[in-house]
Amino acid sequence: EVQLLESGGGLVQPGGSLRLSCAASGFTFSSYAMSWVRQAPGKGLEWVSAISGSGDSTYYADSVKGRFTISRDNSKNTLYLQLNSLRAEDTAVYYCAIISGGSYSNYYFDYWGQGTLVTVSS
Amino acid sequence: QSVLTQPPSVSGAPGQRVTISCTGSSSNIGAGYDVHWYQQLPGTAPKLLIYANTNRPSGVPDRFSGSKSGTSASLAITGLQAADEADYYCQSYDSSLSGVVFGGGTKLTVL
């Protein structure tokens, strides 16, 4: 059974940093591209970042480019998102998701974790 | 303002058919990029409902169907059930933004 378990969320002050983790199991982790998608309280879904199976290719939404860094450790079956220079508008539930669809322009999200809440507030 | 436009809400009685539209532009749906649909039940993570415009993942009932034409796509739900009450999101790729884009979401209410 595919399982994605996010962790690392919490309360952080504006300008602060946080590292999110997503522990994967039930599938061959290194064979799949992975992504982070967030959802602000009461709002819609916003794609944040994606990474290829090997970790060689990374992609970011303009809203987080230069502040967030996606990475993965295939030996630990774990996906990461480093969040720096956090702003109030980054407050959201952050979901990790398995990507299908082949190329970047065909990406869709096959399985989702339950999410971890990041709150940016003083 | 989302790149893909969905109606904020739709409603229907049990057993009825409803459709949810997803309107894009020449840089996303109109450019030929696939459209995918997700269902988010209250308090849960999103779930893939339709991929590549018309395809249902294993386990998704055939009451759910997708279509695409020009710069728009639609999700149809037939035989509406109370359990279908959820938020629905479309998703595609936008070449101008060079990134994945979602619609703003549509809340389905079963009357």
Side-chain angles (χ1 to χ4, degrees):
Chain A
E1 179 192 4
V2 171
Q3 288 197 341
L4 299 171
L5 185 60
E6 301 94 337
S7 62
L11 176 63
V12 60
Q13 292 188 338
S17 297
L18 214 54
R19 189 176 84 154
L20 308 183
S21 299
C22 172
S25 61
F27 64 104
T28 306
F29 182 68
S30 59
S31 295
Y32 288 86
M34 298 290 295
S35 189
W36 291 95
V37 178
R38 69 184 179 182
Q39 185 170 34
K43 302 297 184 182
L45 301 173
E46 180 188 13
W47 172 74
V48 173
S49 183
I51 187 169
S52 62
S54 64
D56 290 346
S57 298
T58 58
Y59 310 92
Y60 297 94
D62 287 345
S63 58
V64 306
K65 202 171 293 183
R67 300 189 300 122
F68 291 8
T69 302
I70 192 170
S71 63
R72 63 191 298 160
D73 186 335
N74 286 345
S75 69
K76 295 182 178 179
N77 288 353
T78 302
L79 174 73
Y80 302 101
L81 187 67
Q82 177 69 40
L83 291 67
N84 295 333
S85 304
L86 282 161
R87 307 165 180 166
E89 54 265 35
D90 296 318
T91 294
V93 173
Y94 285 73
Y95 296 101
C96 70
I98 301 173
I99 287 173
S100 287
S103 65
Y104 177 42
S105 61
N106 291 324
Y107 278 359
Y108 60 93
F109 309 108
D110 232 338
Y111 292 94
W112 300 62
Q114 287 308 302
T116 187
L117 176 63
V118 172
T119 303
V120 184
S121 174
S122 54
Chain B
Q1 195 81 2
S2 300
V3 172
L4 303 179
T5 301
Q6 298 180 234
S9 63
V10 297
S11 63
Q16 283 191 332
R17 178 181 186 270
V18 296
T19 60
I20 298 173
S21 60
C22 175
T23 302
S25 67
S26 58
S27 62
N28 42 68
I29 298 175
Y33 296 112
D34 287 340
V35 178
H36 320 287
W37 291 91
Y38 303 88
Q39 177 194 59
Q40 187 175 31
L41 297 170
T44 70
K47 167 192 165 186
L48 179 65
L49 202 60
I50 298 287
Y51 67 95
N53 307 313
T54 61
N55 299 282
R56 282 187 309 276
S58 174
V60 173
D62 60 5
R63 299 187 298 106
F64 296 89
S65 62
S67 63
K68 175 187 158 185
S69 178
T71 58
S72 295
S74 290
L75 172 71
I77 310 172
T78 59
L80 209 55
Q81 300 177 1
D84 298 332
E85 202 161 90
D87 293 324
Y88 292 84
Y89 295 89
C90 60
Q91 176 245 309
S92 187
Y93 175 85
D94 190 280
S95 58
S96 296
L97 298 174
S98 296
V100 172
V101 291
F102 283 96
T106 298
K107 182 174 183 60
L108 169 63
T109 300
V110 180
L111 301 171

